[in-house]
């Protein structure tokens, strides 16, 4: 899919049970530690909106550091529809981080997670343990199944077929949830 990401993110109660059920549909690929630093400019704080619709991120990950810009598309009812994602590998993310700070970008949120990847045919499934938030699952379509709406429905159908206990909320997204938690008034 050309820069379009369609996925469903859900909070899960029992990651061990979810992993067992995922393995009935696919295979374990790898487990990684990731540190994501989200930046904003002083003039344009993406997190100032109730539902941020863009993010600029540096990801630190063993052998696969990268820079990412994401623009989120929401439906009229406020649910996430799809994401335009632009990503490139970065050999020295600490240098990019220094450059960002030197030109005035401000780190706003740091997401630290352990992520397990599973290949389930048409879907990449991850189980994420997010420091300060808990356990989550993401079901990402590897291709479009017709329209974006049809593709989201396929993702929802897949998570339902797993038979696990989960909760999907309109206002998800790890950086947004952490920002909200850290800046409660």
């Amino acid at each position: 899919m050309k820069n379009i990401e369609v996925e469903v993110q859900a909070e899960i109660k029992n990651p061990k049970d979810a992993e067992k059920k995922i393995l009935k549909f696919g295979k374990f690929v790898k487990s990684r530690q990731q540190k994501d630093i989200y930046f904003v400019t002083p003039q344009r704080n993406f997190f100032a909106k109730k539902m941020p619709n863009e993010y600029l991120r540096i990801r630190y990950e063993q052998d696969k550091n990268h820079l990412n810009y994401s623009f989120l598309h929401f439906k009229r009812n406020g649910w996430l529809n799809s994401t335009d994602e632009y990503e490139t590998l970065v050999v020295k993310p600490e240098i990019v981080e220094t450059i960002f700070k030197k030109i005035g970008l401000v780190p706003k949120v740091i997401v630290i997670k352990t992520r397990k990847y599973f290949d389930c045919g048409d879907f990449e499934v991850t189980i994420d343990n997010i420091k300060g938030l808990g356990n989550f699952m993401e079901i990402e379509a590897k291709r479009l199944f017709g329209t974006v709406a049809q593709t989201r429905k396929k993702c929802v159908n897949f998570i339902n077929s797993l038979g696990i206990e989960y909760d999907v909320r309109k206002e998800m997204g790890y950086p947004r949830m952490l920002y909200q938690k850290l800046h409660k008034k």
Side-chain angles (χ1 to χ4, degrees):
M1 293 186 300
K2 187 176 182 185
N3 297 330
I4 297 175
E5 178 181 279
V6 180
E7 70 180 13
V8 172
Q9 183 183 73
E11 187 171 10
I12 57 175
K13 309 295 182 213
N14 187 334
K16 289 187 189 311
D17 181 51
E19 187 171 339
K20 285 179 194 172
K21 291 180 177 178
I22 291 167
L23 289 171
K24 293 177 183 177
F25 292 89
K27 64 181 179 185
F28 173 77
V29 176
K30 64 186 172 189
S31 182
R32 294 288 180 117
Q33 299 292 317
Q34 297 174 339
K35 177 181 170 184
D36 296 340
I37 304 175
Y38 291 83
F39 286 85
V40 300
T41 67
Q43 304 82 5
R44 197 164 148 205
N45 178 359
F46 305 139
F47 293 94
K49 296 179 179 180
K50 182 178 182 205
M51 292 296 288
N53 66 336
E54 56 188 329
Y55 294 111
L56 179 62
R57 172 188 81 203
I58 298 172
R59 173 168 288 164
Y60 287 81
E61 181 179 1
Q62 181 184 354
D63 303 324
K64 196 178 177 188
N65 304 303
H66 61 265
L67 175 63
N68 172 287
Y69 170 78
S70 294
F71 187 87
L72 291 71
H73 299 276
F74 294 95
K75 297 178 188 178
R76 288 189 194 277
N77 63 8
W79 286 91
L80 179 64
N81 193 45
S82 66
T83 304
D84 296 340
E85 189 171 82
Y86 304 93
E87 193 167 86
T88 188
L89 292 174
V90 175
V91 177
K92 296 183 178 181
E94 63 279 357
I95 299 297
V96 175
E97 187 176 344
T98 299
I99 291 168
F100 279 6
K101 290 176 182 175
K102 293 280 186 189
I103 64 172
L105 274 70
V106 179
K108 275 293 188 190
V109 177
I110 298 175
V111 177
I112 297 173
K113 67 178 162 279
T114 301
R115 172 169 272 185
K116 292 182 178 182
Y117 292 86
F118 300 86
D119 182 349
C120 295
D122 289 328
F123 304 98
E124 178 180 76
V125 179
T126 60
I127 295 179
D128 299 329
N129 178 269
I130 310 299
K131 184 177 180 182
L133 286 180
N135 297 297
F136 295 83
M137 175 187 290
E138 291 183 1
I139 311 290
E140 181 179 339
K142 292 182 185 177
R143 64 180 181 89
L144 284 176
F145 296 92
T147 66
V148 168
Q150 290 168 323
T151 304
R152 282 191 63 72
K153 181 130 178 77
K154 288 273 191 184
C155 292
V156 170
N157 289 345
F158 183 80
I159 196 169
N160 287 337
S161 73
L162 295 173
I164 61 168
E165 187 178 348
Y166 71 90
D167 183 29
V168 176
R169 295 185 310 268
K170 188 183 291 187
E171 297 179 358
M172 291 190 103
Y174 307 142
R176 192 206 65 76
M177 288 188 291
L178 274 173
Y179 184 83
Q180 294 285 331
K181 184 175 181 179
L182 296 172
H183 294 88
K184 281 186 177 176
K185 294 180 182 175

